[in-house]
Amino acid sequence: MRTAGALCQPESLDNPACVIGSGQRCEHALVDQELNRRLYAYENQVRGRFSPIVDTLKTLSAFQHELDFVARAQRVAQDKLGYTLPLGLLENAWSAGLDLRALHSYCVFRSFKECITQTEADQMPWRDRMLIDAAFIQSCGYHTLDISPCADGRLQGLLPFVFRMASNDAVYVKAYAGALFDVEGDVADWTQRELMRLSGGIPGGDSGNYLKIAVYHYSTSNPCQQGCAAHGSNDGLAKQAATDRLAELRDAIENTYGRGAAPDTLMIGMDTDTDAIRVHLPDSESANCPMRFVESAALFHETLGMSAADAQRAVEQAIVSAEKSCGLQPGMRKLITRLLEANLSQIQYVIQHHEGRYAVIGHNERFICAGEAMSELQLRNKFYFAHLDTVEEGAPDMDVGIKIFSGLNITRGLAVPVLVHFHYSSRVPGARERAVARCKRVQAAIRDRYPQLHQQGMLHCQMAVSDSEGSERCTFIEDVVQQAGH
Ligand SMILES: [Zn+2]
């Protein structure tokens, strides 16, 4: 009889990472089944806010010429989506026909906002169960984790799902296309944390260090097409670019603040088909090597069927064999060991709930978020993120986003929903007004960049702002000109 382990064949699309036959169990001793159950409930809850949109709109479309349309439409929307629709989009249906594209975009934004509003309640069941929390990070000798994944929507579940890491005050996530974070921006972030640390504003900051993590990605089943778009789907280029960028950051800080000032750096690759990770082992100088790594997928298969203690030892041993006396620091070793162990739960999760490999291995985002992303929603493929201060600067990211949505939405007759979002600090006088003005500038520039889409009504922008200090999250800013013009 074949064992569950023998069924695991990670390299081919026809054979998902691990097949579970009927009646067979494919459970790993280091997997937190209860946490997986809670995360699955979260995934269903969040996806469930978006999945009924299309059918609900089809229902509305079917009775748009009835006498009691508006009241009936609101009842259906409330029942199926949990919110009502803007009257302006319903009232003229009898004469002008229902603007289903506008309604679709509105619903996507509105469902997203619902997720933001419900963040606390949604994430409560699993938040305290994460293997990597603030105390653990501190025990590894780090006061700050500054993580830059690729902006690709498939990496949005990185923290709770792939890393099993709790969001907390010590963890910052800033996504960039190709994980190519902005060195100057990072030096500024590092300086700000150092200043806070030196003024006693960070618990445990007096002894800890700053850790920068770059997360690139690849696709094991379709490496040439479904890898990182920013690096032409080339795994080698993605790895090298992250290695170089981390080295540049260390150099930038050492050259500015003196030798020994540089933060620790860590590079992690992620297989977006299976959520397995590849952790690169930094040397004693914290330099990363594209060729020196441990892969969690291999570990999962090797340790399946072992006791928890044996599996743990096997993870430690895999790191020892891969490091080739590179001088891995003890705190870093502890963190890497835990990241690999924690990811085993996610591999199991994808096996159990997504048949070992996501059904849609490519893009499947709901909208484009342009400007600054919100970190509240942490689930795979919810939005494509174009990080930008001005459209000129972020144009390549925006163009990639529009291209992705030409395939996802426009071919289905749907518009491209673009949420233009910026943060402000309520501690800074006038900051909100400036954030709103910035939203308006960026929105106007996006419409100018894609005039045809805009004129055809295939581009729907919604502006929103959030307070980085207070409680305001994703407040929609109404666009007076647009409303009057349509
Ligand atoms: Zn990418």
Side-chain angles (χ1 to χ4, degrees), residues 8 88 135 145 204 265 289 311 377 435:
C8 301
L145 255 55
T265 53
C289 168
L377 187 53

Side-chain angles (χ1 to χ4, degrees), residues 50-259:
F50 294 91
S51 46
I53 293 175
V54 168
D55 281 351
T56 304
L57 295 182
K58 282 182 182 167
T59 308
L60 262 54
S61 170
F63 61 82
Q64 59 178 301
H65 300 293
E66 306 280 318
L67 272 179
D68 61 344
F69 170 67
V70 175
R72 209 170 141 195
Q74 295 294 34
R75 276 200 304 277
V76 171
Q78 184 67 52
D79 180 41
K80 301 284 181 202
L81 304 169
Y83 48 82
T84 54
L85 302 167
L87 275 180
L89 287 175
L90 301 177
E91 280 174 339
N92 295 330
W94 69 277
S95 56
L98 204 52
D99 187 348
L100 289 162
R101 281 179 193 147
L103 274 171
H104 179 262
S105 295
Y106 174 83
C107 290
V108 169
F109 296 135
R110 185 64 186 75
S111 290
F112 175 65
K113 193 178 158 77
E114 193 62 18
C115 296
I116 299 291
T117 311
Q118 299 296 330
T119 299
E120 271 296 307
D122 286 355
Q123 301 187 357
M124 187 79 80
W126 50 259
R127 195 177 294 146
D128 294 336
R129 226 185 144 89
M130 291 289 146
L131 263 183
I132 303 178
D133 57 13
F136 181 79
I137 291 168
Q138 211 175 320
S139 79
C140 295
Y142 295 110
H143 60 71
T144 304
L145 255 55
D146 166 1
I147 306 173
S148 284
C150 177
D152 191 304
R154 292 171 291 179
L155 278 75
Q156 258 154 19
L158 190 70
L159 244 48
F161 287 88
V162 181
F163 285 178
R164 304 293 165 123
M165 188 183 281
S167 299
N168 60 69
D169 292 345
V171 179
Y172 293 80
V173 179
K174 236 170 152 180
Y176 293 86
L180 294 174
F181 56 87
D182 176 49
V183 174
E184 277 76 16
D186 266 33
V187 172
D189 291 344
W190 176 87
T191 311
Q192 193 187 16
R193 287 296 282 178
E194 278 298 293
L195 196 63
M196 272 181 77
R197 185 176 78 79
L198 294 171
S199 58
I202 301 178
D206 42 351
S207 59
N209 205 349
Y210 188 103
L211 175 62
K212 173 76 196 183
I213 304 179
V215 186
Y216 67 92
H217 63 103
Y218 51 95
S219 158
T220 40
S221 44
N222 194 353
C224 300
Q225 254 102 46
Q226 297 295 353
C228 184
H231 299 293
S233 256
N234 184 324
D235 184 19
L237 282 182
K239 273 192 287 201
Q240 193 58 52
T243 309
D244 294 347
R245 196 52 63 104
L246 289 169
E248 281 162 26
L249 176 64
R250 280 196 311 277
D251 285 349
I253 293 176
E254 295 233 321
N255 294 345
T256 313
Y257 296 99
R259 201 162 157 70

Side-chain angles (χ1 to χ4, degrees), residues 319-383:
I319 296 172
V320 171
S321 335
E323 66 179 313
K324 303 185 183 84
S325 55
C326 68
L328 200 59
Q329 298 298 311
M332 181 66 90
R333 182 187 302 277
K334 187 174 171 185
L335 178 66
I336 289 174
T337 309
R338 183 62 69 91
L339 277 165
L340 286 165
E341 277 176 24
N343 185 250
L344 299 176
S345 286
Q346 182 60 12
I347 294 177
Q348 176 83 49
Y349 181 92
V350 177
I351 289 170
Q352 213 162 326
H353 301 300
H354 299 280
E355 293 166 359
R357 192 178 298 275
Y358 288 106
V360 180
I361 61 169
H363 290 278
N364 194 21
E365 291 97 332
R366 299 285 177 170
F367 63 97
I368 296 176
C369 177
E372 294 170 346
M374 274 149 289
S375 56
E376 283 90 343
L377 187 53
Q378 299 180 346
L379 187 63
R380 186 180 200 269
N381 258 346
K382 290 309 343 148
F383 58 84

